[in-house]
Amino acid sequence: MAGATNRLPKLPVERALKVIAGRWKPVILYYVFDGPKRLSELKRMMPDITQKVLIQQLREMEEHGLVRRQIFAEVPVRVEYSATVLGLGLEPVLLSLCAWGQRHAKEQNDIPDVADCIVRPRRAPGATAAT
Amino acid sequence: MAGATNRLPKLPVERALKVIAGRWKPVILYYVFDGPKRLSELKRMMPDITQKVLIQQLREMEEHGLVRRQIFAEVPVRVEYSATVLGLGLEPVLLSLCAWGQRHAKEQNDIPDVADCIVRPRRAPGATAAT
DNA sequence: CTGTATCCGTGCCGATACTG
DNA sequence: CAGTATCGGCACGGATACAG
């Protein structure tokens, strides 16, 4: 089954969409952009996703070169998922998607209860949320 | 059933994705960005889409405020689909998606047979494709 | 902790036929 | 020309149970 997933659309836009449009992929990317994460961490951060789907989405993104899976052969095996350079290149794209999404929400008078965008650049450690 | 479609995700990114990630939406938008199009025109431009799906995607985008449907009560009724301002705001977003998609294709050694991006700003009428 | 296997509902989208 | 109606495949993702 693996290897068949790289049958991606020819058109670049559709290719990009296909790769990031998984139900949880944007959210996973958001967390992974922040730094390497363990499976259990991600699971804890996203209580609504089932473990099966989480791994599934991670596998796809791994196959598409967005995230990297590293196994540390320590006493209890540790597995970390981190963003690749290619994956990091998605950050600005997701940001523009987010910006447009907010604009769209406003224009449809459908303000989400989440005030700010979940996909955004990491904030400086000490920076307070100005604005 | 209509009206239920505006139940969009809370997160702006997901909202944006949901709205543009239809099978043919990026392509339709590409053509519609270029100017108002009739249904038959769009159908001719995209031979691989069935009429039912074409109308379906148009209806959704209309409901989401991306395109506008105008009926001209002329002798044979004419119907035109054009991009709204909100819809036009997607052009740069689709462009960045496209740019990333190309980069992704290269990095995966999977060069598409379509040389350039299908979603791009309109070209000046007389301009030759100078790369 | 990390991961697989199975089952199954639902939504998207394609084919085809029909209508004003 | 523009649009609706019906049927059906299939991929996606959610629930749950099991395994190294």
Side-chain angles (χ1 to χ4, degrees):
Chain A
M1 341 146 163
T5 315
N6 49 8
R7 298 227 136 283
L8 292 172
K10 300 284 177 240
L11 266 48
V13 215
E14 298 183 346
R15 183 191 192 87
L17 282 171
K18 188 91 176 185
V19 156
I20 66 176
R23 172 68 182 83
W24 293 95
K25 286 178 186 173
V27 187
I28 296 176
L29 284 173
Y30 163 70
Y31 289 119
V32 155
F33 283 160
D34 192 52
K37 295 281 175 293
R38 304 186 53 165
L39 185 72
S40 48
E41 286 183 285
L42 290 170
K43 183 71 193 69
R44 231 176 304 116
M45 288 161 151
M46 300 171 284
D48 290 349
I49 189 178
T50 65
Q51 186 164 322
K52 177 214 159 192
V53 174
L54 174 56
I55 294 180
Q56 198 171 273
Q57 306 262 307
L58 283 168
R59 287 280 183 283
E60 289 178 21
M61 293 197 287
E62 187 188 358
E63 185 169 3
H64 293 151
L66 305 191
V67 303
R68 175 177 35 245
R69 179 171 173 269
Q70 283 172 303
I71 313 177
F72 300 89
E74 303 173 349
V75 182
V77 185
R78 186 177 44 142
V79 179
E80 276 188 1
Y81 294 90
S82 51
T84 63
V85 176
L86 186 57
L88 276 172
L90 272 177
E91 203 169 38
V93 180
L94 291 176
L95 274 174
S96 64
L97 269 169
C98 173
W100 185 89
Q102 289 180 321
R103 180 180 164 194
H104 184 261
K106 281 200 189 73
E107 215 141 325
Q108 304 269 309
N109 293 319
D110 185 15
I111 311 297
D113 36 42
V114 191
D116 60 351
C117 189
I118 206 180
V119 177
R120 60 174 184 261
R122 291 164 289 308
R123 201 168 291 169
T128 51
T131 14
Chain B
M1 310 124 192
T5 316
N6 50 9
R7 297 227 137 284
L8 292 171
K10 300 284 176 238
L11 266 48
V13 217
E14 299 182 346
R15 181 188 193 80
L17 283 171
K18 188 91 175 186
V19 156
I20 66 176
R23 172 68 183 82
W24 293 95
K25 286 178 186 173
V27 187
I28 297 176
L29 284 173
Y30 163 70
Y31 289 119
V32 154
F33 283 161
D34 192 53
K37 295 281 175 294
R38 304 185 53 164
L39 186 72
S40 48
E41 288 183 284
L42 290 170
K43 183 73 192 71
R44 229 177 305 113
M45 289 161 151
M46 299 171 284
D48 290 348
I49 189 177
T50 66
Q51 186 163 324
K52 178 214 157 189
V53 173
L54 174 55
I55 295 180
Q56 198 171 274
Q57 306 262 309
L58 283 169
R59 287 279 183 283
E60 288 178 21
M61 293 198 287
E62 188 189 358
E63 185 169 4
H64 292 150
L66 305 191
V67 302
R68 175 177 34 247
R69 178 171 173 271
Q70 281 172 302
I71 313 177
F72 299 89
E74 303 173 349
V75 184
V77 185
R78 188 177 42 140
V79 179
E80 276 188 2
Y81 294 90
S82 51
T84 63
V85 176
L86 186 57
L88 277 172
L90 270 176
E91 203 170 37
V93 182
L94 291 176
L95 274 173
S96 64
L97 270 169
C98 173
W100 186 89
Q102 290 179 321
R103 179 179 164 195
H104 184 260
K106 282 201 189 71
E107 215 141 323
Q108 304 270 309
N109 294 318
D110 186 13
I111 311 298
D113 36 41
V114 191
D116 60 351
C117 189
I118 205 180
V119 177
R120 60 173 183 263
R122 290 163 291 307
R123 199 169 293 170
T128 51
T131 351

